[in-house]
Amino acid sequence: MTTREVRTELIGHKSLVMSIAFAPDGKTIFTSGFDGTIRGWDKFGEQINLRQNHSQPVNRITVSSDGRWLASVGRDSKVVVWDLKKNIRAGNFSIGNNRCYTLDFSPDSKILMVGERTHVAYHEIPSLKRLHSTSEHEFSMPRAIFANTGETILGNQKGRVSVITSSDSQPLSFQAHERSINALACSPDGRTIATAALDGSLRLWHRKTGRLMAELVESGPQWNSLAFSPDGNHLAGGNHAGEVRLWSCGVK
């Protein structure tokens, strides 16, 4: 059952929340903000740690499925990878003058995907060596994530979502929003895709068919980041107003 009920609000960022990610154990939520900070929270909404290693707003963060790595990218064009086990910064690299629109680890935690303005690049973990990149003009300014099923899910500025497999088969593509897609998430079981657009709408879709499953928000502040809890029962969203919300979204 999916509900619009807000379970918890996390208060601490001095300005808008840019990105949000769950730790795999479900006990910690990480958020990044326009204030240049990365904050860790427990499930009760209490702040448990604070990182300040970007000189400008932190646009995106993501946590690897093994819980070892946290990656962040800021408007300073710097990608930083953190070793959460050792609690140190593992390394960083610059994307030059390009803006990063998405950041995600592969299901096996060995690759970091960086979606820049016109292409998606793949970097080895932990060396951060660039392995290869894909240029797709139809995915200009792409939002891209790995699904646990091994597929890559992309959303573009025209509001379309494409689910791409490693084979040469035609990808599933559907119109998710009227405006540009600003955030994507896929549930751990691979069944549900969450999308958010520039008009503030937030929707849930069936990954295999592209069927609309629920509309959690019709309009309002722009949602900058979405993340499912490890058990798939909750969806977290951070928006342009500095809010972080949790929805119950387990499907029975």
Side-chain angles (χ1 to χ4, degrees):
M1 179 179 65
T2 302
T3 175
R4 296 189 183 192
E5 177 190 0
V6 178
R7 300 297 299 272
T8 307
E9 291 194 6
L10 312 178
I11 308 299
H13 284 285
K14 298 177 181 179
S15 185
L16 62 93
V17 176
M18 305 291 287
S19 189
I20 187 167
F22 275 95
D25 61 9
K27 297 179 180 179
T28 306
I29 299 175
F30 294 96
T31 60
S32 70
F34 195 82
D35 57 10
T37 66
I38 300 172
R39 301 170 188 261
W41 313 81
D42 66 20
K43 61 182 179 181
F44 301 108
E46 296 295 325
Q47 184 175 302
I48 56 178
N49 57 56
L50 175 68
R51 290 178 170 84
Q52 296 175 291
N53 281 85
H54 285 277
S55 60
Q56 296 186 38
V58 185
N59 292 340
R60 303 282 169 185
I61 56 172
T62 185
V63 180
S64 62
S65 60
D66 62 4
R68 177 73 183 269
W69 312 103
L70 168 69
S72 61
V73 62
R75 289 192 181 178
D76 53 9
S77 298
K78 183 170 63 176
V79 176
V80 180
V81 176
W82 310 81
D83 187 329
L84 296 178
K85 184 177 180 180
K86 297 180 179 179
N87 198 29
I88 60 172
R89 187 171 65 176
N92 65 84
F93 61 90
S94 173
I95 57 174
N97 294 324
N98 289 326
R99 181 176 175 182
C100 180
Y101 289 89
T102 193
L103 198 66
D104 197 23
F105 286 101
S106 61
D108 62 7
S109 303
K110 294 181 179 180
I111 296 174
L112 177 65
M113 176 171 60
V114 181
E116 301 179 33
R117 184 174 295 276
T118 60
H119 63 277
V120 177
Y122 299 83
H123 295 261
E124 183 182 59
I125 296 296
S127 70
L128 303 185
K129 175 184 176 181
R130 183 166 175 154
L131 301 174
H132 61 91
S133 63
T134 302
S135 179
E136 297 285 350
H137 68 277
E138 63 180 302
F139 298 125
S140 178
M141 295 190 292
R143 302 303 195 270
I145 57 173
F146 283 111
N148 285 342
T149 54
E151 297 159 321
T152 298
I153 301 173
L154 297 105
N156 68 14
Q157 62 183 4
K158 296 181 179 180
R160 292 195 68 81
V161 170
S162 296
V163 181
I164 301 174
T165 64
S166 57
S167 65
D168 295 329
S169 60
Q170 185 71 18
L172 169 68
S173 181
F174 59 91
Q175 191 71 38
H177 297 271
E178 297 300 317
R179 299 285 303 278
S180 177
I181 291 175
N182 199 52
L184 288 169
C186 187
S187 61
D189 63 5
R191 179 178 180 181
T192 307
I193 299 172
T195 62
L198 290 180
D199 59 7
S201 58
L202 198 165
R203 298 167 181 166
L204 301 180
W205 306 88
H206 194 283
R207 180 187 59 81
K208 288 187 176 181
T209 65
R211 174 178 59 87
L212 179 63
M213 300 172 66
E215 184 165 44
L216 298 181
V217 181
E218 295 178 3
S219 62
Q222 174 182 315
W223 296 95
N224 298 308
S225 184
L226 302 171
F228 280 96
S229 60
D231 61 9
N233 289 330
H234 297 91
L235 176 70
N239 70 19
H240 226 61
E243 301 171 319
V244 179
R245 297 184 187 178
L246 296 177
W247 290 270
S248 296
C249 59
V251 179
K252 297 181 179 180

